[in-house]
């Protein structure tokens, strides 16, 4: 939308934190998220396991630690001796809850290694199992085996939700969506309407398993807001049907074992306090305890003194509800208390107000003690739910802290909202990266577009998959909306820059991506328009970093323009470089032409001239090979006209590289990578072509000899920087050896200790990951059980490093089968 004041971009937390200089709130501060990640098994739980030496017998083992669906176990009887600890996979191992052997007539027998330590088996079992906690049976057997307990709350599951606005009655809700424990809920009976949908975290104190209301003496009634939509008979029919289907849609009760326990309160009706309305948590207001239901629940109403008021802001609380404070709390903390609507005068005074109302203040003892030991600090970043539109999760900045409350500024919400007041224990705040981990759309920050009177708003595709038609249509709308408001100031106003995608795109730019760019950018301020054009070109490259390098300002060249810092991302690395951009309209055409020549593409690929049918340079006859042959920068000694009639291309004189020798290494490098990484080459990319070789070779040069390169070219302004050294490609020498030799193991990996595993990893290009294996105590048995999903989930690795690691694990498995598995 051209009239909009923002443009949306693909968001990356690492870049954002780097650009803003901010830090992320610590993951440990989000206790509800930690709870949701637990797999249902805890250290200390006991289970019955098949004994390795005799598969027909079983023995009791204790869980030492967990890692995804892997458990580290120790047979009872070994005490503190770790030497016989072993890993097993919940999905494949023969594991059962305590008591299973007795029920199924299986034999419990002491393993050979500890026979002499346990003279009386019966007495020993009675002693170790007294008061022991068994591993949950539903996670060891049946459909739920090996699943994260949270995944058991699937779409279609049913729960009971208390109505927190007007009464304590509950009604049944269907789970529509489960995003990392954050549930989208829809009242039963409203299957066709999403108007009354709610989002709640599964540990919310007002959400319960089906059957909770009956157990605790509450009635099942639809909330007042929806009750009038159907007749009483219809609601009863719906309830009857739901009870018949109860079994298939129920959720295991042990999922709610970590829910906060609601304590006993000491509030009484008529007491005054300060409160934040959870539906609009932006201000602190005077409030009244309107009704006390029982020892656990009471209703609060935000005070409103207007005689003609039609609605009331009331909601149900319990003793640990967030946003309730004693009288004078805001004054003591230097915060503004909003007087009730209809209050005479601006200066609110609690003593006068209590006298005027004839009410008493709720004593301090009614409120839970507030903590400031939570890990949050001002300016930290996190992800938070927008209270006005709970569908949205936004980037949030901590702007203020008072006791255990945060003031959060939300960025990128569809409609701007004031700073929100949130408890540090709120289940509507999440750590940085939570949305990405759970596949949910985080609202990206707004990027302000400067005043159209002076500058330009441009259309940039959100991702490179928009069709050119979509972009073109959007651009036409933009022109219609903004053509009247652009003031043309001849000298600094850039004309429209056209992308002529039918022209030859050269070895660096992806023709498909060029075709998806807007038809044109501009008119507007020269620096802004050209910066946008170059950004679009960098993003349309096979290798954005390579194009950024070509465009980079050379100190030896004459300085005529304006230096702009541009960014590129490629294979997990971030690059920056200063690029020269001209400032005046009379130099734009020449700038575009010279930039095209730097990128070895047709001089008319982009510029102020639109190419309609046939390019004046006759570039359609060129192929990448011929073009690079005549104009490639490393072939600069060949001077002459190419086929196709280019008449005035400039050739940059550079020292020829030792290319032949490098190319041999490069092919080994490609072979190695093809077996260990996903192919990210864009559609239409010329794999194996000369251009691809050259690009990868240059990437390799950039990684291995950046400093030498700087000295050679004397470019003090060069500012390329790697942000991720772990992804640095291994040296070609190492790869040759690896590609040529099969892995030969000196010992059986089943017998490897944790130290042996770490030693092996340090001999590979995954050495930086060895620390994780040490911390997680992964020995040879556990190593052989690891798979790609387990590695990604438990070690929190990006896909590239995870695949590389799994490649080495597969090599060990293969060598194990060839050398040791008889």
């Amino acid at each position: 939308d051209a009239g909009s004041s923002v443009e949306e971009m693909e968001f990356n937390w690492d870049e954002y934190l780097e650009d803003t200089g901010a830090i992320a709130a610590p993951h440990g501060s989000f206790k509800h998220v930690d709870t949701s990640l637990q797999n249902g098994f805890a250290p200390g739980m006991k289970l019955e396991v098949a004994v390795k030496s005799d598969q027909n017998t079983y023995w009791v083992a204790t869980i030492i630690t967990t890692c995804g669906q892997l458990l580290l176990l120790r047979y009872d009887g070994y005490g503190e001796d770790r030497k016989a600890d072993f890993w097993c996979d919940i999905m494949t191992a023969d594991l059962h809850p305590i008591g299973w052997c007795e029920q199924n007539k299986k034999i419990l027998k002491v393993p050979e290694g500890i026979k002499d330590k346990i003279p009386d088996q019966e007495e020993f079992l009675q002693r170790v199992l007294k008061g022991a906690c068994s591993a949950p049976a539903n996670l060891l057997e049946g459909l739920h085996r090996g699943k994260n307990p949270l995944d058991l709350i699937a779409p279609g599951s049913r729960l009971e939700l208390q109505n927190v606005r007007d009464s304590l009655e509950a009604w049944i809700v269907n789970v529509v969506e489960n995003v990392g424990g954050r549930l989208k809920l829809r009242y039963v009976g409203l299957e066709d309407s999403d108007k009354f949908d709610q989002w709640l975290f599964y540990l919310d104190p007002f959400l319960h398993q089906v059957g909770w209301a009956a157990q605790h003496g509450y009635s099942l009634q639809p909330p007042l807001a929806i009750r009038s939509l159907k007749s009483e008979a219809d609601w009863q029919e719906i309830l009857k049907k739901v009870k018949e289907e109860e079994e298939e849609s129920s959720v295991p009760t042990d999922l709610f074992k970590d829910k906060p326990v609601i304590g006993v309160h000491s509030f009484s009706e008529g007491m005054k306090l300060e409160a934040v309305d959870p539906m609009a948590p932006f201000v602190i207001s005077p409030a009244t305890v309107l009704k006390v239901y029982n020892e656990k629940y009471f209703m609060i109403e935000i005070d409103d003194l207007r005689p003609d008021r039609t609605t009331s802001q009331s909601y149900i609380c319990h003793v640990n509800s967030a946003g309730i404070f004693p009288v004078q709390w805001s004054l003591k903390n230097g915060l503004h208390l909003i007087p009730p609507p209809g209050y005479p005068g601006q200066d609110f005074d609690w003593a006068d107000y209590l006298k005027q109302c004839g009410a008493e203040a709720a004593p301090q003892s009614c409120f839970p003690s507030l903590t400031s030991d939570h890990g949050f600090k001002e300016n930290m970043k996190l992800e938070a739910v927008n209270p006005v539109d709970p569908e949205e999760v936004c980037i949030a900045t901590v702007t203020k802290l008072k006791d255990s409350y945060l003031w959060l500024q939300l960025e990128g919400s569809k409609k701007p909202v004031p700073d929100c007041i949130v408890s540090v224990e709120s289940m509507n705040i999440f750590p940085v990266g939570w949305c990405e981990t759970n596949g949910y759309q985080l609202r990206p920050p707004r990027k302000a577009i400067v005043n159209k009177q002076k500058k330009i708003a441009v259309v940039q595709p959100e991702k490179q998959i928009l069709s050119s038609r979509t972009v073109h249509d959007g651009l036409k709308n933009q022109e219609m909306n903004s053509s009247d408001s652009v003031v043309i100031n001849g000298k600094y106003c850039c004309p429209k820059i056209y992308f002529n995608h039918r022209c030859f795109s050269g070895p660096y730019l992806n023709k498909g991506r060029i075709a998806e760019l807007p038809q044109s950018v501009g008119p507007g301020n020269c620096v802004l328009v050209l910066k946008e054009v170059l950004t679009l070109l960098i993003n349309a490259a096979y290798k954005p970093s390579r194009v950024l390098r070509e465009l980079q300002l050379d100190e030896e060249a004459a300085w005529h323009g304006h230096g702009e810092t541009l960014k590129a991302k490629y294979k997990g690395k971030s690059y920056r470089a200063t690029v020269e951009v001209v400032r005046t309209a009379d130099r734009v055409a020449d700038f575009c032409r010279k930039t095209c020549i730097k990128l070895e593409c047709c001089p008319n690929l982009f510029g102020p001239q639109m190419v309609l049918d046939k390019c004046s340079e006759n570039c359609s006859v060129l192929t990448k090979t011929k073009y690079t042959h005549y104009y490639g920068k490393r072939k600069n000694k060949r001077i002459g006209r190419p086929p196709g009639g280019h008449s005035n291309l400039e050739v940059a004189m550079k020292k020829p590289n030792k290319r032949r020798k490098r190319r041999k290494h490069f092919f080994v490098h490609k072979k190695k990578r093809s077996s260990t990484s996903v192919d990210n080459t864009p559609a239409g990319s010329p794999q194996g072509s000369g251009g691809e070789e050259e690009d990868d070779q240059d990437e390799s040069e950039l990684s291995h000899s950046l400093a030498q390169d700087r000295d050679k070219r004397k470019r003090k302004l060069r500012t390329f920087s790697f942000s991720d050294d772990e992804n640095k490609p291994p040296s070609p020498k190492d790869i040759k050896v690896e590609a040529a030799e099969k892995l030969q193991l000196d010992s059986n990996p089943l017998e490897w200790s944790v130290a042996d595993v770490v030693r092996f990893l340090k001999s590979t290009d995954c050495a930086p990951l060895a620390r994780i294996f040490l911390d997680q105590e992964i020995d040879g048995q556990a190593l052989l059980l690891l798979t790609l999903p387990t590695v990604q989930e438990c070690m929190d690795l990006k896909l590239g490093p995870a695949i590389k690691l799994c490649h080495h694990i597969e090599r060990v498995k293969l060598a194990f089968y060839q050398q040791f598995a008889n």
Side-chain angles (χ1 to χ4, degrees), residues 521-735:
V521 174
N525 176 282
C526 277
V527 171
L528 279 179
V529 173
L530 294 175
K531 186 178 177 183
E532 185 62 28
V533 167
L534 295 179
T535 301
L536 290 173
L537 286 170
I538 288 167
N539 290 335
Y542 293 122
K543 301 196 171 177
S545 53
R546 181 71 172 84
V547 169
L548 183 60
R549 178 179 171 178
E550 290 304 320
L551 297 176
Q552 190 174 356
L553 184 68
D554 191 334
E555 198 193 41
E556 290 173 354
W559 174 279
H560 295 300
H562 174 82
E564 280 290 331
T565 301
L566 296 183
K567 291 182 186 176
K569 279 199 82 176
Y570 182 61
K571 288 188 179 174
K573 298 174 188 170
S574 293
Y575 303 84
R576 295 183 185 204
T578 304
V579 174
E580 182 188 6
V581 178
V582 295
R583 307 179 73 160
T584 55
D586 58 330
R587 302 189 54 245
V588 166
D590 186 51
F591 172 82
C592 291
R593 193 173 185 86
K594 285 180 176 174
T595 305
C596 286
I597 290 164
K598 276 186 188 177
L599 300 180
E600 300 182 33
C601 59
C602 173
N604 290 333
L605 182 69
F606 65 93
Q609 295 298 318
M610 184 195 282
V611 173
L612 294 170
D613 296 318
K614 195 174 180 186
C615 171
S616 60
E617 298 286 344
N618 196 21
C619 65
S620 59
V621 303
L622 288 180
T623 64
K624 186 169 292 188
T625 315
K626 283 181 186 172
Y627 196 93
T628 311
H629 181 72
Y630 280 92
Y631 286 104
K633 300 183 176 175
R634 289 164 184 78
K635 299 281 184 183
N636 50 34
K637 291 186 179 175
R638 187 187 296 273
I639 306 293
R641 276 177 69 82
H646 287 272
S647 52
N648 54 358
L649 283 176
E650 296 178 12
V651 180
M653 299 295 286
K654 295 184 183 177
K655 285 188 182 179
N657 287 319
K658 296 176 183 174
R659 189 162 167 207
R660 296 240 168 241
K661 191 173 177 184
R662 272 191 178 278
R663 190 182 293 177
K664 185 176 171 189
H665 292 187
F666 163 73
F667 281 125
V668 180
H669 182 56
K670 286 297 277 188
K671 186 175 178 184
K672 159 77 167 59
R673 286 195 68 81
S674 67
S675 64
T676 60
S677 66
V678 171
D679 182 10
N680 287 324
T681 314
S685 170
Q687 287 175 309
S689 74
E692 184 79 6
E693 284 170 38
E694 191 176 323
D695 285 355
D696 253 35
Q697 180 206 336
D698 280 313
E699 200 69 38
S700 178
E701 281 175 33
L702 195 58
S703 304
H704 291 89
S705 57
L706 195 59
Q708 294 172 7
D709 204 57
R710 282 183 182 166
D711 294 338
K712 277 183 196 172
R713 297 171 188 240
K714 297 179 183 173
R715 290 186 182 175
K716 288 173 192 162
L717 283 159
R718 169 166 290 198
T719 54
F720 273 106
S721 62
F722 290 115
S723 65
D724 181 3
D725 278 348
E726 280 185 15
N727 291 337
K728 201 172 206 174
S731 73
K733 199 188 296 179
D734 298 339
I735 296 156

